[in-house]
Amino acid sequence: MEDGKLTVRAVERALDILLCFTGASELTLTEIASRVQLHKSTVHRLLASLEGKGFIMRDEATDKYRLGYRLWELSANLSKEGDPGIILLPEMERLRDQLGETISLYVQDGLVRVRIQAVQSNHAIRRVAPVGARMPLYVGASSKVLVAFAEQGLLEQLLASADWPTGLDTQTYLQQLSDTRRAGFATSVEEREPGAAAVSAPVLDRGGRLVAALAVSGPANRLTLELMQEQAPTIMEAARRMGTMLR
C-alpha cells in the first residue's frame, strides 16, 4: 500500500512539472524545482523519466527544458467534436472583425478560468491573449460571468477559498454578480491588469447550461466603459449565436 502511495505521488509530481510549462516555453532545472517546491535532485530524476518517454526535451546548449514532441502526438488525437474552442472560432473571428479588439473564450476549471481560444486584435497596440492562460475567478469580466451563471456551489467554494483576496469586499462582489445576471454581461476596467479593460457575456448551450464566457478585451484608454456598454448587445448576440451552435 505504501508503495502504491509513492507511485501515485511520483505521478502527481511529474504532472506538476509538465504543468509548469503552461506559462513558459523553456525552464531551467532550478526554475522548475522552485515552481514545484521540490529538491533539485528529485526534479532531475523526474525530468529524466519524462525525457526518456519524450514528454520533455533538454537543450544541451542552454541546459533548459521544454515540452517534448510526444505531447504533440497526444494532442493530435484530441477529439474536436464538441470542442467550443474549435466550433466557435469562426464566430470569434467575425466578432473581432466587427469590433476590432481581441476576442477570447474562457471556461471554468476549478477555481480558475482558462483561456481556451483567442483571436488577436489587428490594432498595433493590443492585449496579447495566450491560449492556455489561467487566471483567478474572483476578478475580471469573464470571471464574473463564469461565476454568475454557474451553479451555486461554485460561488460557495470561491468565497470559502484560502485564495480569496482579503482586500476584496464580499458584498461588493456579490452585487457585481447580481448585476451581471440581470444585465446579461459584465465589464472590468483595470481589475486584473493595469491599463486593460474587458466586457464579457455567457455562452449558453441549447439547454441553457453555461459553456463558456465570451470576452472582448483591449487597452482601457480605447475600450472605455461607455464603449463597452454600447457594444454589449452585439457581444451578447454573438454569444447567443455561439450557444445555438453547441449541443
Side-chain angles (χ1 to χ4, degrees), residues 94-112:
R94 179 188 301 180
L95 187 62
R96 185 273 314 277
D97 294 341
Q98 187 175 3
L99 300 182
E101 299 292 354
T102 296
I103 312 299
S104 300
L105 198 67
Y106 293 92
V107 297
Q108 172 237 333
D109 181 22
L111 297 182
V112 300

Side-chain angles (χ1 to χ4, degrees), residues 126-143:
R126 60 188 179 183
R127 292 191 68 245
V128 177
V131 173
R134 300 172 69 85
M135 306 169 198
L137 265 184
Y138 48 75
V139 64
S142 297
S143 292

Side-chain angles (χ1 to χ4, degrees), residues 119-193:
V119 180
Q120 304 294 347
S121 166
N122 291 327
H123 288 291
I125 300 176
R126 60 188 179 183
R127 292 191 68 245
V128 177
V131 173
R134 300 172 69 85
M135 306 169 198
L137 265 184
Y138 48 75
V139 64
S142 297
S143 292
K144 295 173 192 174
V145 165
L146 290 173
V147 177
F149 290 91
E151 297 182 358
Q152 182 65 25
L154 175 61
L155 176 58
E156 295 172 353
Q157 293 178 44
L158 188 61
L159 295 176
S161 170
D163 294 328
W164 181 264
T166 56
L168 183 57
D169 180 68
T170 302
Q171 291 306 313
T172 299
Y173 180 74
L174 293 176
Q175 184 60 53
Q176 290 176 343
L177 296 183
S178 178
D179 293 342
T180 299
R181 283 188 289 268
R182 184 180 67 255
F185 70 94
T187 61
S188 64
V189 179
E190 297 186 317
E191 288 187 7
R192 189 187 64 83
E193 181 182 342

